[in-house]
Amino acid sequence: MNLPVGSYIQLTKPRIVVLVLVTAVAALVVEGSMLPHPGRLLLVLLAITLVAGSANAFNQYFERDLDARMERTRNRRPLPLSRIAPRGALVFAVAIGLLSVGLLYFLGTPLSAWLALGTIAFYGFFYTLWLKPRTVHNIVIGGAAGAMGPVIAWAAASGALTLAPILMFLVIFLWTPPHFWALALCVKEDYRKVGIPMLPIVKGDAETYRQIEVYSAALVVLTLSMPFLRTGGLVYALLALGLGGVFLWKAVRARRLGTQGAAWGVFGYSIIYLFALFLGLIADAIWRIPVF
C-alpha cells in the first residue's frame, strides 16, 4: 500500500514549519558554537522541524471536525479530505514528536528536549483543546508555541538561555497577533460558524484593527532596540527600520480603510517581514557588522 506522503507532509503545515526553521537557523548562527559541526547542526534543525510538525499534526487531528466545516480548510487539509485516516494522523504526530525529542536529547541538550516536549504539549493539546475555543486571547497566549524555534535551537547548542534567544522569542510572540488577526478579519465567518471566539467576532473589526496597530508598534520598537542589546548588527538594524516602517504603515492603513484587501495586505506582508528580519540576523552573525 502506498503511503500518501504528500498528505502527511501537509499535516505538518509546511509553510509554518519553514518560518519556524528560519528562526531556528538564525539562533544557531548567532549562537555559533554548532557551526563547526554541520552534521549535528542539520540534525538539530531536523528535530526542530519535527517539533513544529508534530504540534501542527496534533492540532489538525484534534480540529479535524472543525476543519471540515470551515471554508478555508475543508478542501485543503488532508483529514477533512479523507486522504489520511484520523488514527494514522495521530500515530504520525506521536511518532515524529517522540523522534524530535529524542534527537534533541541526544544530539542537543536535555534542556532543548524538555522545551520541545513542552512546546508540542502546549500547542497540540493546551492551545488546541482548551485555549483556542474558550478565550479571545487565544492567539496571543498560543503564539508562545510558535515563538519557541530560536529558544529550542539556542538551548540545543549551548544548554542554556541568554538574552538573545529571549529577544528572538519576543519578536515572534509580538508578531503573531497582528499576523493572525489580519487573517481572522478575512475569514471571520468561518470562525463564527464553528464558535471559535476570535477577536473580530468578540470585539469587532474596529478593535481588531486597533490591536493590530498596537502590537505592530510594540513589535517595531522591540526590533529596533535589539542592536542596543547586542543582538543584531548593521544589516539587521537597517532591515528592522525599513521593514518595520512598512509594517506600521500597512497596519495604520488597514485601520483607516477597514477593508478586507487592506487586512490581506497586512497578513501577506507580515510573512515577508519575519523572513527578512531573521535573515538579517543571520547576515549580521556571518559578516559581524556592528552598529556601533
Side-chain angles (χ1 to χ4, degrees):
M1 185 175 78
N2 293 325
L3 288 174
V5 176
S7 294
Y8 278 101
I9 292 173
Q10 198 176 5
L11 200 63
T12 67
K13 302 183 183 177
R15 286 182 291 184
I16 295 175
V17 169
V18 170
L19 276 173
V20 173
L21 197 56
V22 169
T23 65
V25 169
L28 290 175
V29 174
V30 171
E31 196 277 337
S33 67
M34 207 175 276
L35 295 179
H37 311 284
R40 184 176 166 222
L41 182 147
L42 289 174
L43 286 172
V44 165
L45 288 175
L46 171 62
I48 293 170
T49 299
L50 296 176
V51 170
S54 175
N56 289 328
F58 275 117
N59 173 263
Q60 288 200 50
Y61 169 76
F62 288 123
E63 290 191 340
R64 61 191 185 278
D65 293 335
L66 297 182
D67 284 344
R69 295 165 57 196
M70 294 176 67
E71 186 71 29
R72 184 173 67 93
T73 53
R74 67 186 178 195
N75 294 317
R76 297 175 59 190
R77 293 187 173 173
L79 286 169
L81 290 169
S82 299
R83 291 176 179 167
I84 299 174
R87 183 177 179 180
L90 180 60
V91 170
F92 175 73
V94 171
I96 64 172
L98 290 175
L99 178 58
S100 69
V101 172
L103 284 171
L104 287 167
Y105 188 88
F106 291 107
L107 296 174
T109 65
L111 175 60
S112 66
W114 283 112
L115 288 170
L117 183 61
T119 299
I120 294 170
F122 180 81
Y123 186 79
F125 292 86
F126 177 70
Y127 168 75
T128 301
L129 294 176
W130 190 86
L131 193 67
K132 187 174 180 180
R134 283 176 172 82
T135 172
V136 71
H137 304 295
N138 48 21
I139 198 60
V140 177
I141 304 169
M148 286 298 291
V151 176
I152 296 171
W154 196 284
S158 69
L161 295 176
T162 63
L163 181 59
I166 293 171
L167 289 173
M168 294 182 206
F169 169 90
L170 289 173
V171 166
I172 306 164
F173 183 77
L174 290 176
W175 168 87
T176 302
H179 166 74
F180 203 90
W181 283 333
L183 174 64
L185 282 163
C186 300
V187 297
K188 63 184 176 183
E189 294 309 316
D190 262 353
Y191 289 113
R192 193 190 309 276
K193 187 190 307 180
V194 297
I196 300 296
M198 298 306 297
L199 188 63
I201 297 168
V202 178
K203 300 291 186 179
D205 289 7
E207 177 62 15
T208 303
Y209 281 116
R210 190 187 74 82
Q211 291 286 344
I212 287 173
E213 202 174 271
V214 168
Y215 272 89
S216 299
L219 171 63
V220 172
V221 169
L222 172 64
T223 59
L224 292 176
S225 72
M226 286 170 63
F228 296 95
L229 299 170
R230 299 292 184 259
T231 303
L234 182 61
V235 173
Y236 166 82
L238 292 174
L239 280 172
L241 182 61
L243 292 166
V246 175
F247 203 156
L248 272 178
W249 174 75
K250 283 185 172 290
V252 171
R253 179 175 178 270
R255 185 182 183 187
R256 289 177 178 172
L257 294 178
T259 63
Q260 192 174 99
W264 276 121
V266 173
F267 174 76
Y269 179 76
S270 68
I271 299 171
I272 298 169
Y273 173 86
L274 196 69
F275 262 117
L277 204 64
F278 277 84
L279 288 175
L281 286 174
I282 293 170
D284 275 330
I286 292 171
W287 293 317
R288 306 292 179 187
I289 307 173
V291 177
F292 307 107

